[in-house]
Amino acid sequence: MNTTSLPETKEHHSLVDSLDRYQLVTHTDGEGLITYANQNYLTVSGWTPKRIIGKSIWQMFSDAPASQQTVNTIWDRLLSGKSWSGKVEKMTRDGEPFFVNMLAVPTLSDDGELQSVFFLELDITEDIRLQEKLGEIAFIDVETGLMSRHKLEQVVNESIKLGQHFSFVYLTIDHYFTMKELQSTESETQLIQEFTNRLKRYFQDMPIARIDTNSFVVLTAFGDWYIQGFYDFLKQQPIYLSHNAQTLSISGGIVRFPEDQKTYTQLYKVALTAADEVISQGGGRIASLSAESHKILNRRLEIDQKMLTALDRNSLHVAYQPQFDIASDGINCYEALVRWEDEDLGIISPDELIPIAEENGLIEEIGAYVAEEAMTFATKWHRAGTEMTVSINSSVRESLNPQWKDRLISILNETGCPANKVYIEFTEKFALKAEEEQSVISQMSELQNLGMQFTLDDFGSGYASLRYLQHLPISSIKLDRLFIENLLSNPKTQKLVEGMIRFSKSMGLYTIAEGVSSEQQFDMLKNMGIDAVQGHYIGIPLPAEQIKIS
Ligand code: C2E
Ligand code: MG
Ligand code: MG
């Protein structure tokens, strides 16, 4: 009898039944692709049986680097034939976190190759939430006894109110999620507690908070030299784990109140950015933000704050840039580009504005505003009896909203714009996301059925994946302006552009070149068989009032 597996007895069946009833069960193959998930897992994670099969376990976690690192650590251990157990945060299909106690058991082939993995998980989300709630109420981090981030906010706001001068110091333990020594929950707890002791001993009587697993904030009236001294202190007082001294590396960011920033949120953001800057340079330092980064960040913060009022006060505008169609020898489309000029901030370019709007969520309002303007513009051309179209840029975040399509349709109705007068431009980043999300593809298809068309913008600038050309309803592509910039000077670029035009046309796509700024570029592209060009050579973006409709 095989002694490694349970005999097929009544007990065996009832064990399997109870596991299935109380635990979340998944299996993967040796690549980490899911081959089975039980009903409990589907219920908690929100996946459907059809969709989950073939997804990788990496997709069951948040795509934050720390989370992905955790899966890598687990997977490395499974590859070496060892099982893994511990507490992890996973992610539902809709992006909601949930917590499980996980046991992962690998099965290896005779020659030691990972063949499959059996995951048993117990949903502990409620316990964690309860712990968090208690922590919130008590304002204390349960594991360390330090202040929680809620308490920190209160303390910082009180100090601000009292006009006290202080440094806000964000500290994080480097490489925490990849430390070999932290394979068990006990060693993690021990490390964090020992680290907390060092913090308390060094920053005596100063407020200290734990922000997340491996990050802390200290408020201190002392200057940079004192704060940076904590690094040497850690070296002199090493932490012992299983009798081995750990040389911990930490990264930190310092921001001063009131000199650098004036509110809790800004202090926090800037300190985090300063620490990130240190981490990106290899970590192991505590530093203030460089003057240059400070300037950039302050401008970002200001743009972020003013964006809502800009929308309210209608200080956003739309400029229209013409696109020249070679076959009909005339302008056949105008691309709508958002414009914002502020009294204090000056001109805020879309390249600055759009990423911030994507982060704070205002991209949806901005998108709707630009669409309204552009469709009103297109309606005027239509009423003048022309075939003119408009092209509107769209961000991933807009399309992820299940109401994206309905919003566009209602703007079409409000403005009286025929759907076939509208192109939606999106980038390769958008395409990659859209491909993953069935709801985006189906919304795109519905819009396409109404007559709207889609253009892949900045083609060739992002990911070298052409897969999405098969799945997404794209009717034209716009070659990125970097290729056009180098067209005359680089023979390799010429070959590349020629190839891309041929490829695109062979796919039946209307091919546009953007950023065309000279006659030579224009002539060369025309000889290569381009369908349309856009750029300063044809015309710069102008406000609607300056464009004659004829
Ligand atoms: P894009 O869609 O690739 O737009 C083309 C950009 O190239 C525009 O910059 C345009 O002014 C610029 N351009 C046009 N011709 C030339 C030329 O001959 N030479 C050079 N050097 N540049 C030229 P802009 O307006 O700054 O927009 C930058 C990007 O911001 C756009 O790139 C687009 O991705 C995004 N964007 C603009 N408006 C919106 C919007 O309303 N919504 C969204 N989601 N994104 C927008
Ligand atoms: Mg565009
Ligand atoms: Mg472009």
Side-chain angles (χ1 to χ4, degrees):
M1 192 179 74
N2 184 350
T3 49
T4 54
S5 62
L6 283 169
E8 293 271 332
T9 58
K10 229 167 70 195
E11 286 80 356
H12 174 224
H13 284 296
S14 89
L15 173 66
V16 172
D17 278 348
S18 346
L19 285 179
D20 204 49
R21 190 159 335 133
Y22 297 110
Q23 303 253 352
L24 318 185
V25 183
T26 41
H27 301 172
T28 72
D29 63 12
E31 308 283 331
L33 301 180
I34 293 175
T35 51
Y36 168 77
N38 76 343
Q39 190 52 48
N40 282 343
Y41 191 89
L42 298 174
T43 309
V44 171
S45 68
W47 285 91
T48 58
K50 247 196 186 153
R51 291 244 152 237
I52 197 166
I53 301 300
K55 291 281 176 308
S56 82
I57 61 153
W58 282 265
Q59 286 170 281
M60 301 296 119
F61 288 73
S62 140
D63 52 19
S67 238
Q68 290 295 308
Q69 193 55 57
T70 307
V71 201
N72 290 341
T73 310
I74 297 172
W75 197 252
D76 283 347
R77 196 167 161 85
L78 295 169
L79 279 175
S80 71
K82 295 192 195 96
S83 63
W84 187 93
S85 68
K87 199 165 72 181
V88 281
E89 179 179 341
K90 299 186 85 175
M91 187 91 121
T92 66
R93 177 151 197 232
D94 294 329
E96 290 297 319
F98 69 98
F99 297 86
V100 294
N101 251 334
M102 177 198 277
L103 170 67
V105 186
T107 304
L108 300 189
S109 65
D110 288 340
D111 50 10
E113 281 225 6
L114 184 60
Q115 282 196 315
S116 62
V117 182
F118 188 72
F119 291 90
L120 266 187
E121 296 165 359
L122 202 57
D123 184 4
I124 51 163
T125 310
E126 271 187 31
D127 298 0
I128 299 268
R129 292 275 176 262
L130 190 68
Q131 230 178 49
E132 280 176 355
K133 262 265 136 12
L134 289 173
E136 246 178 82
I137 294 163
F139 285 126
I140 281 176
D141 173 63
V142 186
E143 216 171 0
T144 59
L146 296 173
M147 298 191 298
S148 69
R149 67 158 75 205
H150 309 281
K151 180 71 179 169
L152 173 73
E153 183 169 358
Q154 233 183 37
V155 171
V156 168
N157 284 334
E158 274 161 27
S159 300
I160 291 176
K161 224 190 261 164
L162 295 171
Q164 290 166 344
H165 290 220
F166 63 92
S167 286
F168 185 105
V169 188
Y170 179 94
L171 294 171
T172 182
I173 304 173
D174 293 332
H175 319 301
Y176 182 82
F177 294 100
T178 50
M179 277 170 76
K180 285 197 299 297
E181 295 76 11
L182 296 184
Q183 288 296 356
S184 70
T185 315
E186 295 89 71
S187 52
E188 277 193 44
T189 311
Q190 196 189 342
L191 179 87
I192 292 297
Q193 281 170 353
E194 290 290 327
F195 184 75
T196 303
N197 288 341
R198 306 293 184 282
L199 279 171
K200 281 182 181 162
R201 286 225 300 273
Y202 189 80
F203 295 104
Q204 286 176 19
D205 301 327
M206 298 170 211
I208 309 172
R210 186 176 182 203
I211 297 305
D212 59 35
T213 315
N214 59 330
S215 309
F216 302 81
V217 166
V218 180
L219 305 177
T220 172
F222 290 130
D224 288 8
W225 61 270
Y226 185 84
I227 299 162
Q228 282 154 349
F230 177 61
Y231 213 100
D232 298 323
F233 178 78
L234 260 189
K235 271 198 212 131
Q236 289 152 16
Q237 315 269 327
I239 292 170
Y240 286 87
L241 281 185
S242 333
H243 309 297
N244 288 325
Q246 298 298 315
T247 38
L248 277 192
S249 168
I250 53 169
S251 297
I254 308 173
V255 194
R256 270 163 299 269
F257 176 84
E259 296 87 339
D260 295 340
Q261 295 299 333
K262 306 260 186 285
T263 67
Y264 169 77
T265 317
Q266 290 178 357
L267 286 163
Y268 192 102
K269 261 195 189 167
V270 176
L272 191 66
T273 311
D276 282 346
E277 200 172 74
V278 168
I279 292 167
S280 72
Q281 290 158 5
R285 264 184 325 118
I286 307 172
S288 304
L289 204 60
S290 66
E292 187 50 30
S293 306
H294 223 118
K295 234 171 76 189
I296 296 172
L297 200 76
N298 274 336
R299 187 172 156 87
R300 275 187 67 102
L301 288 170
E302 210 171 328
I303 291 175
D304 188 5
Q305 278 165 9
K306 284 195 159 177
M307 205 177 282
L308 197 59
T309 29
L311 268 161
D312 272 357
R313 291 208 201 124
N314 265 333
S315 53
L316 293 185
H317 298 283
V318 179
Y320 297 89
Q321 184 171 33
Q323 174 187 304
F324 183 88
D325 176 60
I326 303 284
S328 62
D329 198 30
I331 309 297
N332 65 340
C333 179
Y334 279 93
E335 177 176 5
L337 296 159
V338 70
R339 292 288 176 263
W340 177 16
E341 193 170 349
D342 179 83
E343 280 175 359
D344 309 320
L345 293 163
I347 292 172
I348 298 127
S349 78
D351 287 330
E352 232 183 332
L353 163 72
I354 303 294
I356 302 175
E358 281 176 342
E359 215 178 283
N360 67 19
L362 285 175
I363 189 66
E364 300 199 39
E365 323 299 321
I366 293 176
Y369 164 74
V370 173
E372 241 171 77
E373 292 290 313
M375 291 185 199
T376 308
F377 183 69
T379 307
K380 285 186 186 150
W381 285 95
H382 175 60
R383 294 202 175 129
T386 75
E387 290 299 314
M388 192 63 71
T389 57
V390 289
S391 201
I392 303 166
N393 294 283
S394 193
S395 297
V396 195
R397 177 140 180 193
E398 293 172 70
S399 68
L400 289 176
N401 186 331
Q403 255 97 56
W404 178 52
K405 167 201 66 160
D406 293 335
R407 253 181 142 167
L408 283 172
I409 295 174
S410 70
I411 301 175
L412 282 175
N413 294 336
E414 276 162 33
T415 55
C417 179
N420 65 1
K421 298 289 180 253
V422 179
Y423 282 81
I424 301 287
E425 292 188 18
F426 59 89
T427 58
E428 292 176 296
K429 195 171 121 202
F430 177 120
L432 280 179
K433 192 78 195 165
E435 220 196 358
E436 276 173 31
E437 301 289 332
Q438 188 50 44
S439 83
V440 179
I441 304 187
S442 56
Q443 293 197 75
M444 285 174 88
S445 305
E446 282 187 58
L447 289 168
Q448 191 198 31
N449 289 340
L450 293 176
M452 238 185 228
Q453 299 193 58
F454 293 93
T455 301
L456 187 55
D457 200 357
D458 302 345
F459 183 74
S461 68
Y463 309 82
S465 166
L466 303 172
R467 216 177 35 207
Y468 43 72
L469 290 177
Q470 302 168 71
H471 306 305
L472 302 178
I474 299 166
S475 60
S476 42
I477 70 172
K478 216 182 243 193
L479 305 181
D480 191 60
R481 66 171 180 268
L482 266 183
F483 295 115
I484 312 306
E485 218 169 80
N486 299 321
L487 189 64
L488 300 173
S489 59
N490 189 340
K492 278 193 184 147
T493 310
Q494 270 171 37
K495 286 245 171 333
L496 200 59
V497 170
E498 211 169 358
M500 285 195 290
I501 295 174
R502 212 174 310 131
F503 162 76
S504 163
K505 295 186 76 148
S506 74
M507 299 279 293
L509 300 168
Y510 185 79
T511 316
I512 309 156
E514 70 177 357
V516 178
S517 49
S518 73
E519 188 175 356
Q520 284 154 297
Q521 289 171 339
F522 178 85
D523 289 342
M524 185 177 281
L525 288 159
K526 192 173 165 184
N527 286 333
M528 288 175 174
I530 199 91
D531 292 314
V533 295
Q534 195 186 14
H536 294 172
Y537 177 67
I538 304 298
I540 59 166
L542 288 174
E545 308 82 74
Q546 290 181 35
I547 298 168
K548 211 170 137 251
I549 296 176
S550 53

